[in-house]
C-alpha cells in the first residue's frame, strides 16, 4: 500500500482528533509484526556479529587476504538472507502502529540498498585488503542495516536513529585505511560536518515535535495542514533542509564530498556514493512529502510561494551548476566522480521535487541506477589502486589493452553516468525531466531546472568522455603494471554492468513497481 | 517487410561477433563485419522488392515498452524510411569494404562501426519519439571512438568536437520533445499522438518548441552556423567512418527535422521558414566558397558535404511536395556521392601517398599511377556537381524547382551554389590527380628514364618520385566498393522514379499534409 497518496488525500481537510504524543494504544503493540518486518535488519546484525565472532575465534592467525575473503563471503550470505526476507515480507503496509511503513517505495528501496551492498562487498574483495577485514565487513553490514531502516522509517525518532547508525558506520568506514593520512582527513571532515548536520536535523525534528505534538509523520502532516506555515516552522524547515543538503552532497553543503571520496578506501567510497545517497533520498522524500507536504509551496510557476520546494529548487540548480563545472577541471578520477556526484545530487533533488505530482518512481529509478553505476566505477578504482596511490585519470591509460573486461565495465558505468541511451542513467534522467516539465512546462522553476540540467549534460559528456578516452584511446604506458583482478570482484563488476544495461533497456522493471 | 527490424539486431550481434572475432585475427573480424552489413542490406533490399508504397507508414513491431511514460517499442517504415534504409545498407557495406586495410584493433573498429549502423537503422525505423531519440543518441558514442582511435589529422579534437556538438543538438531536441510531451498531457510518445496534441498548443509555444527541436536536429544536419563540427570531424575520421558520417549520419539530422520537427509543429515551421531557407542558402554558398580555397583535399570534400546538405535543408524549408521529395532524394544521392569522394581521397589516395595537401598531390600526376582512382574521382566529381546521368541531378533540380515555387529568390541564390560546386570540384579533381595545372606539363611524363629529364626538375621531384614508386595497386575491396557506389549513383540518376515512387506517396500521409502544402510534384 502506498502511503504517500493516502496521506496527501488526508491532507485535504479531514479532521481527526490529535491522539497525543504516543500514537499507540497499549493493545496495538504488534511485536510479532515488528519482528517480521525487521527480519532483514536482524539478519544483517546477526551476520555482522557472526563475522566478528568467527574472526576472533578462528582466524586470528590467518593471513589478511583469507580473513577478507571469509568476511566477504559471510557478509554476502547475510545480505542475501536479508534480501530474501525483504522480498518475502513485501509491501505489507504500516508496521507497529506506523513506526515503520513498508509501502512500495520502502520495499523497493530496501531491496535496492541490499543489492548495492552486495556490489560493494563484491568489489571490496578486489580492492586493497584492509588491516582488519572482519571489522570492515561487519561495519558495512551495520551501515546497511541503518540504510534499510532509513528507507522504512515513518517516525522522527526512528528516522534519526537509523540515520545516525548509518552515518557513524560510514564515518568509521571512511577512515579505515590507517596507513593513509588522506583517509584520516576524510573521516575527520565527514564526521565533523556530518555531526553538525545531524545536530541541525535533531533540532529541526524537536521543533517539529514541539509544533505538532507528535513524532509520527502521518500525524504531523495532518497537524501542519491545519496549522499552516509559521516562523518556527520555517526555522525547522531550514534545519531539515540543511541536513538533507549535506546528506545528498548538494551545493552549498557539498564541501565534504570531494575530500571524502578521495580519501576513503574505494569500497567505502562506493558505499557512501551509492547506498548512503539512495537511503538519504528515500528518507528525506518521506519526510518532506507526506510529512511536511502541507508547507511545500509551488514550483510549477514563477510565482514564488513560501515553502520548501523553491528552496530545494535553488539547491538543485546550484548543485547542477557547481558539480558539472567543477568536474571539468579535475585530474583525479576520484574527485571527478565526487563532483559528478554533486551534479547528480542536483538532478536527484529535482526528482524529489516531482514526487508530489509524479510519485516516487522517477527519483527511485534514478537513485538506484546511479548508485549502481557509481559503485561500479569506484569498484574499478579500487581494483586499479590495489597497488597503492590515488588514481589519476591519466593512470587509466591503455586500460582497454591491459584489461578489456575492466575497460568495458568502466565504459558502461561512465556512459550510464553521462546519460547515454540505452543505459539506465539515460532513462533515470529522462523520467525525472519529463516529470519536472509536466509540472507546468517551462513556466516555472521546475521546468527551467529540467532544461538547464539537459543542457548541462552536454558539459558533463565532456569530462566523462575524457575518462573513457584515457581508457580506450590513449596508448598503454611502456611497462604496464599487470592488473590482477580477483574473480569475485570481476564477476561483481560484470554483473553490475549487465544490470545497468538491462535496467536501461527495460526501465519498466523498476518504474513499473510504482 | 516484417524482417526489417532484424537489420538492427543483426548489426548489434555483428558488432559483438566482430569484437570476438578480432581476438582471433583481423581478417576474421573483417569478414564477420562485411557479412553482417551485407546481410542487413540484403534484408532491406528484399523488403524493398515487396514494398508497396502507401501514405501511412507500415507498422513492423508495436510492443509495450515503458507504460508509465507512454513509450512504446514501435517500428514502422514508409517510403522515406525505405529510401534511407537502402542508403544505410549501401553506405555501410561500402564503408566496410573501404576499411579493409584497418590492421590495428580491427575487431573493436568494426564493433563500433556496426553499433553505429545499428543505431542508424533504428532511427530510420522508429515511429515513437522516445525510441527515435534513444537510437539517435546511441549513435553518438561509437562516432567518438571511431575518430579518436583510428583517425588522422587532429583526431582527438575532431572527435570531441563532433561528439559534443551532436550531444548538444540532441539535448536541444530532448528539451523540446519533453516540453511538447509534458504540455500535451504526457500520455504517449507516438509521433501521431504528439502531433495531434501539439496541434492544440498556442502558436507561440509551437514556435518555441519547433525552434528547439528543428535546430537541435539541424546541428547534426550541418545547417549553417552549426556546421563547424562537420569538416573537422570528417577530416579527422578514418575513411570508412567519414563515408558513414558524411553519407548517413548527417542525414539523421535532416530526417529528424522532416519526421519529427516539421509534422509536430506546423505553426512553428511557418514562422521559421524564411530563416531556415536563408541559413541553408548561406550554408550552400559559404561552404562552397570555403571549399574553393582549401589546401587539404579532404577538407574540400568535408565542406562540400556541408554545401550539399544545405540543399537538403533548403528543400525541407520550402515545404512543398516537390522540394521535400527532392530533399529526400538528395539525402540518398549525397550519401552515395560523399561516400565515393571520401573513399577516393581517404583510402585510395591518402593511404598510399600519405599526403592530402593539394600542393603535394599536384606534383604526383596520380592519373598515371592510380588510373582507377582517377576514373572514380572524376565520376564522383561529376556526380557531385549535379551532372545529368547521376543521382545528384534529379535531386538538386527537384529542390530548386520546389524552392522556386516557394520563393524564386531562394532558387536563384541556391543555383549559384551549383556553380560554386562545379568550381571547387573541378579544382580538387584537377589538382589531386591531373598534375600541374596551367602549363599542361605532366611531371611524370619523363618517367621512362630519369636521365632524360631536366636536372633541376629532377632534384626538386626526387622525393615525390620516390613516393610515387611505392604506390600499391588498388585492392579488390576498393574496386568492389567503388563499383557499388557508382552503380547506385548511375541507376538512380537515370531512373530516379525507383526512389521517387516510394517518397512521393509518403508525403501524402496526414502528418505531412498539414505542413507540406503546394502543388503535386
Amino acid at each position: 500500500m502506498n502511503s504517500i497518496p493516502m496521506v496527501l488525500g488526508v491532507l485535504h481537510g479531514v479532521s481527526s482528533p490529535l491522539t497525543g504524543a504516543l500514537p499507540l494504544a497499549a493493545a496495538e503493540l504488534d511485536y510479532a509484526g515488528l519482528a517480521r518486518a525487521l527480519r532483514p535488519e536482524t539478519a544483517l546484525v546477526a551476520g555482522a556479529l557472526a563475522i566478528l565472532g568467527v574472526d576472533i575465534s578462528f582466524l586470528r592467525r590467518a593471513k589478511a587476504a583469507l580473513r577478507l575473503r571469509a568476511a566477504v563471503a559471510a557478509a554476502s550470505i547475510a545480505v542475501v538472507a536479508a534480501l530474501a526476507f525483504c522480498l518475502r515480507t513485501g509491501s505489507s503496509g504500516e508496521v507497529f502502529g506506523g513506526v515503520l511503513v513498508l509501502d512500495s517505495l520502502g520495499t523497493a528501496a530496501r531491496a535496492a540498498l541490499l543489492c548495492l551492498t552486495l556490489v560493494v562487498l563484491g568489489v571490496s574483495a578486489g580492492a586493497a585488503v584492509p588491516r582488519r577485514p572482519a571489522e570492515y565487513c561487519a561495519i558495512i553490514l551495520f551501515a546497511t542495516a541503518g540504510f534499510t531502516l532509513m528507507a522504512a522509517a515513518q517516525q522522527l525518532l526512528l528516522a534519526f536513529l537509523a540515520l545516525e547508525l548509518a552515518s557513524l558506520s560510514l564515518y568509521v568506514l571512511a577512515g579505515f585505511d590507517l596507513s593513509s593520512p588522506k583517509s584520516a582527513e576524510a573521516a575527520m571532515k565527514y564526521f565533523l560536518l556530518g555531526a553538525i548536520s545531524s545536530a541541525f536535523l535533531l533540532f529541526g525534528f524537536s521543533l517539529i515535535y514541539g509544533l505538532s505534538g507528535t513524532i509520527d509523520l502521518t500525524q504531523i502532516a495532518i497537524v501542519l495542514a491545519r496549522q499552516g506555515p509559521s516562523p518556527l516552522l520555517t526555522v525547522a524547515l531550514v534545519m531539515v533542509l540543511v541536513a538533507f543538503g549535506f546528506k545528498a552532497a548538494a551545493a552549498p553543503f557539498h564541501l565534504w564530498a570531494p575530500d571524502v571520496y578521495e580519501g576513503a578506501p574505494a569500497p567505502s567510497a562506493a558505499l557512501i556514493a551509492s547506498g548512503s545517497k539512495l537511503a538519504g533520498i528515500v528518507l528525506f522524500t518521506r519526510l518532506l512529502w507526506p510529512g511536511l507536504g502541507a508547507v511545500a509551496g509551488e514550483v510549477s510557476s514563477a510565482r514564488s510561494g513560501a515553502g520548501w520546494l523553491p528552496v530545494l529548487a535553488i539547491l538543485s540548480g546550484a548543485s547542477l551548476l557547481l558539480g558539472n563545472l567543477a568536474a571539468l577541471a579535475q585530474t583525479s578520477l576520484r574527485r571527478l566522480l565526487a563532483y559528478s556526484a554533486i551534479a547528480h545530487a542536483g538532478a536527484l533533488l529535482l526528482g524529489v521535487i516531482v514526487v508530489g505530482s509524479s510519485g516516487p518512481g522517477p527519483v527511485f529509478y534514478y537513485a538506484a541506477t546511479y548508485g549502481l553505476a557509481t559503485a561500479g566505477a569506484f569498484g574499478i578504482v579500487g581494483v586499479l589502486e590495489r597497488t597503492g596511490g590515488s588514481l589519476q585519470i591519466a593512470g587509466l591509460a591503455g586500460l582497454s589493452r591491459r584489461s578489456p573486461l575492466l575497460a568495458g565495465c568502466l565504459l558502461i558505468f561512465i556512459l550510464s553516468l553521462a546519460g547515454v541511451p540505452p543505459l539506465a542513467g539515460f532513462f533515470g534522467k529522462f523520467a525525472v525531466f519529463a516529470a519536472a516539465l509536466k509540472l507546468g512546462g517551462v513556466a516555472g522553476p521546475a521546468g527551467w531546472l529540467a532544461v538547464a540540467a539537459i543542457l548541462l549534460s552536454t558539459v558533463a559528456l565532456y569530462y566523462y568522455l575524457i575518462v573513457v578516452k584515457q581508457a580506450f584511446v590513449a596508448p598503454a604506458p611502456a611497462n604496464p603494471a599487470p592488473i590482477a583482478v580477483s574473480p569475485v570482484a570481476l564477476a561483481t563488476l560484470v554483473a553490475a554492468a549487465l544490470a545497468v544495461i538491462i535496467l536501461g533497456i527495460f526501465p519498466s522493471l523498476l518504474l513499473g513497481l510504482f | 517487410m516484417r524482417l526489417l527490424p532484424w537489420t538492427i539486431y543483426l548489426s548489434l550481434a555483428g558488432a559483438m561477433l566482430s569484437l570476438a572475432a578480432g581476438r582471433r585475427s583481423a581478417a576474421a573480424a573483417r569478414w564477420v563485419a562485411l557479412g553482417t552489413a551485407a546481410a542487413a542490406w540484403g534484408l532491406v533490399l528484399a523488403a524493398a522488392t515487396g514494398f508497396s508504397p502507401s501514405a501511412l507508414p507500415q507498422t513492423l513491431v508495436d510492443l509495450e515498452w515503458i507504460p508509465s511514460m507512454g513509450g512504446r517499442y514501435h517500428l514502422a517504415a514508409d517510403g522515406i524510411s525505405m529510401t534511407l534504409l537502402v542508403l544505410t545498407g549501401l553506405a555501410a557495406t561500402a564503408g566496410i569494404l573501404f576499411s579493409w586495410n584497418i590492421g590495428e584493433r580491427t575487431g573493436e573498429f568494426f564493433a563500433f562501426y556496426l553499433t553505429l549502423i545499428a543505431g542508424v537503422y533504428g532511427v530510420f525505423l522508429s515511429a515513437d519519439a522516445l525510441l527515435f531519440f534513444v537510437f539517435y543518441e546511441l549513435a553518438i558514442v561509437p562516432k567518438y571512438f571511431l575518430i579518436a582511435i583510428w583517425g588522422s589529422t587532429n583526431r582527438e579534437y575532431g572527435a570531441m568536437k563532433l561528439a559534443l556538438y551532436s550531444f548538444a543538438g540532441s539535448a536541444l531536441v530532448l528539451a523540446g520533445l519533453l516540453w511538447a510531451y509534458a504540455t500535451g498531457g504526457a500520455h504517449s510518445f507516438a509521433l501521431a499522438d504528439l502531433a495531434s496534441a501539439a496541434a492544440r498548443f498556442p502558436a507561440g509555444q509551437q514556435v518555441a518548441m519547433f525552434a528547439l527541436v528543428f535546430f537541435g536536429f539541424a546541428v547534426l544536419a550541418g545547417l549553417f552556423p552549426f556546421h563547424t563540427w562537420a569538416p573537422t570531424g570528417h577530416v579527422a575520421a578514418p575513411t570508412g567512418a567519414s563515408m558513414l558520417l558524411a553519407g548517413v549520419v548527417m542525414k539523421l539530422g535532416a530526417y529528424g527535422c522532416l519526421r519529427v520537427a516539421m509534422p509536430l509543429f506546423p505553426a512553428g515551421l511557418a514562422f521559421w521558414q524564411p530563416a531556415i531557407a536563408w541559413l541553408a542558402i548561406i550554408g550552400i554558398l559559404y561552404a562552397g566558397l570555403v571549399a574553393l580555397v582549401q589546401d587539404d583535399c579532404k577538407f574540400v570534400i568535408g565542406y562540400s558535404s556541408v554545401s550539399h546538405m544545405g540543399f537538403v535543408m533548403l528543400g525541407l524549408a520550402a515545404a512543398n511536395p516537390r522540394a521535400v521529395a527532392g530533399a529526400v532524394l538528395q539525402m540518398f544521392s549525397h550519401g552515395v556521392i560523399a561516400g565515393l569522394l571520401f573513399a577516393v581521397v581517404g583510402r585510395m589516395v591518402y593511404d598510399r601517398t600519405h599526403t592530402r595537401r593539394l600542393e603535394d598531390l599536384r606534383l604526383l600526376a596520380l592519373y598515371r599511377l592510380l588510373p582507377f582512382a582517377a576514373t572514380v574521382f572524376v565520376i564522383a566529381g561529376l556526380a557531385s556537381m549535379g551532372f545529368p546521368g547521376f543521382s545528384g541531378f534529379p535531386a538538386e533540380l527537384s529542390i530548386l524547382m520546389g524552392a522556386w515555387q516557394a520563393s524564386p529568390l531562394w532558387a536563384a541564390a541556391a543555383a549559384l551554389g551549383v556553380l560554386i560546386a562545379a568550381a571547387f570540384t573541378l579544382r580538387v579533381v584537377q589538382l589531386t590527380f591531373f598534375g600541374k595545372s596551367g602549363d599542361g606539363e605532366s611531371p611524370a611524363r619523363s618517367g621512362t628514364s630519369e636521365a632524360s629529364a631536366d636536372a633541376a626538375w629532377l632534384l626538386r621531384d626526387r622525393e615525390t618520385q620516390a613516393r610515387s614508386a611505392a604506390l600499391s595497386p588498388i585492392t579488390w575491396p576498393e574496386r568492389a566498393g567503388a563499383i557499388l557506389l557508382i552503380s547506385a549513383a548511375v541507376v538512380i540518376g537515370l531512373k530516379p522514379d525507383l526512389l521517387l515512387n516510394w517518397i512521393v506517396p509518403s508525403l501524402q500521409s496526414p502528418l505531412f499534409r498539414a505542413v507540406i502544402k503546394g502543388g503535386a510534384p
Side-chain angles (χ1 to χ4, degrees):
Chain A
M1 195 168 56
N2 196 333
S3 70
I4 295 181
M6 178 187 86
V7 173
L8 289 176
V10 164
L11 282 177
H12 288 296
V14 173
S15 67
S16 71
L18 258 182
T19 52
L22 279 174
L24 311 162
E28 288 175 32
L29 293 181
D30 180 13
Y31 285 101
L34 182 64
R36 213 174 13 250
L38 288 181
R39 278 182 303 183
E41 284 78 4
T42 316
L44 290 170
V45 173
L49 294 174
I51 294 173
L52 290 172
V54 165
D55 188 74
I56 288 180
S57 333
F58 303 119
L59 296 174
R60 280 291 253 332
R61 286 188 220 299
K63 286 194 343 193
L66 175 63
R67 290 165 83 182
L68 177 65
R69 260 180 280 156
V72 166
S76 308
I77 295 174
V79 172
V80 170
L83 188 58
F85 284 137
C86 171
L87 293 173
R88 194 92 166 287
T89 318
S91 304
S92 51
E94 292 206 341
V95 174
F96 206 61
V99 171
L100 294 169
V101 63
L102 293 178
D103 56 355
S104 51
L105 175 63
T107 314
R110 282 154 77 95
L113 286 163
L114 290 166
C115 293
L116 286 173
T117 308
L118 267 180
V119 172
V120 169
L121 284 171
V123 303
S124 67
V129 179
R131 200 92 73 84
R132 298 182 199 284
E135 282 84 340
Y136 193 68
C137 294
I139 298 180
I140 290 181
L141 291 183
F142 286 136
T144 312
F147 292 150
T148 49
L149 276 176
M150 278 165 79
Q154 208 185 301
Q155 194 191 65
L156 293 182
L157 202 50
L158 182 63
F160 185 75
L161 282 174
L163 184 64
E164 282 302 287
L165 171 60
S167 302
L168 287 170
S169 312
L170 289 177
Y171 304 152
V172 175
L173 286 175
F176 219 81
D177 186 358
L178 295 173
S179 62
S180 155
K182 277 207 163 140
S183 182
E185 180 189 344
M188 190 53 100
K189 279 186 179 163
Y190 198 16
F191 172 62
L192 286 175
L193 290 173
I196 296 174
S197 86
S198 292
F200 270 72
L201 187 65
L202 194 56
F203 193 51
F205 279 174
S206 63
L207 286 177
I208 294 176
Y209 172 60
L211 281 170
S212 60
T214 166
I215 56 173
D216 182 83
L217 282 178
T218 47
Q219 306 284 342
I220 292 174
I222 299 171
V223 173
L224 289 182
R226 205 175 317 135
Q227 280 184 5
S230 65
L232 204 55
L233 186 57
T234 312
V235 175
L237 276 177
V238 169
M239 303 278 177
V240 170
L241 287 175
V242 166
F244 187 14
F246 169 82
K247 197 69 193 161
F253 310 109
H254 65 282
L255 293 165
W256 60 272
D259 293 315
V260 171
Y261 281 44
E262 191 179 15
S268 316
L271 193 60
I272 295 172
S274 59
S276 165
K277 264 255 173 61
L278 176 59
I281 294 282
V282 173
L283 174 68
F284 282 98
T285 302
R286 236 189 255 293
L287 205 60
L288 289 170
W289 270 109
L292 300 170
V295 287
E298 275 279 322
V299 275
S300 56
S301 65
R303 270 179 292 119
S304 65
W308 48 264
L309 273 178
V311 180
L312 263 192
I314 296 176
L315 291 183
S316 167
S319 310
L320 283 168
L321 265 177
L322 187 131
N324 279 311
L325 294 179
L328 289 173
Q330 300 307 316
T331 51
S332 152
L333 183 56
R334 280 171 174 255
R335 290 186 86 91
L336 187 140
L337 287 172
Y339 282 106
S340 100
I342 297 170
H344 283 282
L348 283 168
L349 287 181
L350 185 58
V352 173
I353 290 176
V354 303
V355 168
S357 55
S358 305
V363 76
F364 169 73
Y365 180 85
Y366 192 169
T369 51
Y370 163 75
L372 200 55
T374 318
F378 270 107
I380 295 179
V381 170
V383 166
L384 291 173
E385 283 181 352
R386 200 180 183 144
T387 44
S390 165
L391 191 62
Q392 302 298 305
I393 298 177
L396 287 171
L399 189 64
S400 66
R401 304 298 209 123
R402 290 154 61 195
S403 171
L405 258 184
L406 270 188
C409 293
L410 182 69
L411 183 68
I412 302 289
F413 296 136
I414 295 287
L415 289 182
S416 177
L417 289 175
V420 173
L423 299 173
F426 169 73
F427 285 101
K429 288 190 161 144
F430 193 84
V432 167
F433 297 152
L437 282 165
K438 252 199 274 194
L439 268 184
V442 294
W448 303 337
L449 278 176
V451 175
I454 294 174
L455 296 176
L456 282 170
S457 63
T458 310
V459 174
L461 183 71
Y462 174 73
Y463 57 78
Y464 287 125
L465 276 182
I466 295 288
V467 175
V468 293
K469 179 179 85 159
Q470 281 295 111
F472 280 85
V473 179
N479 289 324
I483 305 181
V485 194
S486 117
V488 171
L490 196 56
T492 313
L493 288 171
V494 170
L498 283 175
V500 167
I501 297 176
I502 292 175
L503 286 175
I505 300 180
F506 302 107
S508 288
L509 287 176
L510 289 185
L511 286 175
L513 294 174
F514 299 94
Chain B
M1 275 293 280
R2 294 264 147 198
L3 288 178
L4 273 177
W6 280 93
T7 52
I8 308 173
Y9 316 142
L10 254 184
S11 304
L12 283 173
M16 289 191 275
L17 276 175
S18 234
L19 191 59
R23 300 216 168 284
R24 188 160 339 158
S25 76
R30 285 180 201 130
W31 282 104
V32 167
L34 183 63
T36 313
W41 192 31
L43 280 178
V44 174
L45 291 174
T49 49
F51 179 66
S52 55
S54 61
L56 287 175
Q58 299 167 29
T59 298
L60 305 165
V61 175
D62 191 4
L63 299 171
E64 209 169 62
W65 183 31
I66 313 178
S68 56
M69 303 203 66
R72 297 185 69 87
Y73 186 71
H74 186 186
L75 299 177
D78 67 356
I80 298 175
S81 322
M82 284 302 298
T83 310
L84 294 168
L85 287 170
V86 173
L87 170 67
T88 308
L90 173 59
T93 314
I96 292 179
L97 285 170
F98 279 106
S99 306
W100 211 253
N101 63 333
I102 301 267
E104 261 210 44
R105 297 169 78 172
T106 314
E108 291 173 63
F109 179 86
F110 288 115
F112 285 123
Y113 202 84
L114 287 168
T115 311
L116 175 57
I117 292 172
V120 172
Y121 276 128
V123 170
F124 290 139
L125 284 170
S126 296
D128 179 281
L130 176 52
L131 190 62
F132 187 104
F133 191 79
V134 165
F135 280 120
Y136 192 80
E137 280 214 342
L138 175 61
I140 294 181
V141 171
K143 287 188 288 192
Y144 175 80
F145 286 111
L146 283 173
I147 300 178
I149 304 179
W150 293 276
S152 53
T153 316
N154 232 354
R155 60 181 183 234
E156 288 188 12
Y157 171 75
M160 187 62 87
K161 191 168 185 180
L162 184 143
L164 289 181
Y165 265 78
S166 307
F167 207 76
S170 58
L172 287 175
V173 170
L174 182 64
L177 264 183
L178 280 182
W179 186 12
Y181 163 76
T183 317
H187 298 304
S188 147
F189 274 102
L191 286 170
D193 295 342
L194 280 176
S196 54
R200 294 192 287 272
F201 296 167
Q205 273 191 349
Q206 280 204 33
V207 166
M209 292 177 189
F210 179 86
L212 279 174
V213 180
F214 190 91
F215 289 110
F217 280 123
V219 168
L220 196 59
L223 182 68
F224 180 91
F226 312 113
H227 67 284
T228 48
W229 61 270
T232 320
H234 294 154
V235 167
T239 307
S242 314
M243 291 170 64
L244 208 56
L245 285 174
V248 181
V249 172
M250 281 178 98
K251 316 304 180 282
L252 285 183
Y255 181 75
C257 293
L258 177 60
R259 184 69 86 185
V260 180
M262 285 167 63
L264 254 52
F265 312 112
L269 176 65
F271 180 83
W272 288 101
Q273 192 176 19
I276 299 170
W278 282 110
L279 284 177
I281 292 169
I282 295 175
I284 297 173
L285 300 176
Y286 172 71
L289 289 173
V290 172
L292 198 50
V293 297
Q294 291 303 308
D295 184 46
D296 178 331
C297 54
K298 208 167 177 185
F299 263 106
V300 176
I301 313 300
Y303 279 104
S304 88
S305 288
V306 176
S307 185
H308 285 294
M309 284 305 292
F311 274 100
V312 173
M313 299 306 282
L314 178 63
L316 292 182
N320 55 58
R322 175 161 285 151
V324 176
V328 178
L329 192 59
Q330 170 77 336
M331 285 194 226
F332 180 91
S333 159
H334 177 250
V336 172
I337 294 170
L340 262 178
L341 289 169
F342 276 112
V344 173
V345 155
R347 175 74 183 93
M348 294 188 192
V349 174
Y350 180 64
D351 281 358
R352 291 178 169 82
T353 62
H354 300 293
T355 176
R356 290 192 308 252
R357 291 189 61 224
L358 293 173
E359 284 301 307
D360 292 343
L361 290 172
R362 77 197 299 199
L363 299 171
L364 291 176
L366 287 176
Y367 77 99
R368 287 198 181 216
L369 306 166
L370 297 172
F372 183 79
T375 317
V376 173
F377 201 52
V378 169
I379 294 176
L382 289 175
S384 177
M385 282 191 273
F387 208 74
F390 299 102
S391 50
F393 176 67
E396 286 181 7
L397 184 63
S398 211
I399 293 174
L400 287 173
M401 286 164 69
W404 182 276
Q405 266 182 290
S407 160
L409 188 53
W410 294 353
L416 276 179
V418 179
L419 184 61
I420 300 177
F424 68 69
T425 311
L426 285 173
R427 173 179 176 263
V428 76
V429 168
Q430 187 168 37
L431 289 178
T432 310
F433 279 95
F434 291 95
K436 274 193 191 153
S437 61
D439 55 9
E441 293 254 311
S442 158
R445 192 173 50 131
S446 51
T448 42
S449 122
E450 271 184 44
S452 64
D454 178 60
W457 181 88
L458 241 190
L459 277 169
R460 184 170 42 116
D461 271 76
R462 182 157 294 149
E463 194 195 304
T464 57
Q465 290 221 336
R467 269 200 237 160
S468 61
L471 293 182
S472 50
I474 305 281
T475 58
W476 73 265
E478 293 170 85
R479 288 183 197 271
I483 291 171
L484 263 179
L485 291 172
I486 294 177
S487 319
V490 169
V491 165
I492 301 300
L494 293 178
K495 194 146 173 47
D497 267 4
L498 286 177
L499 291 179
L500 285 173
N501 282 341
W502 289 347
I503 299 171
V504 171
S506 318
L507 294 176
Q508 305 300 317
S509 98
L511 276 181
F512 285 129
R513 270 178 182 275
V515 69
I516 298 176
K517 305 181 191 70

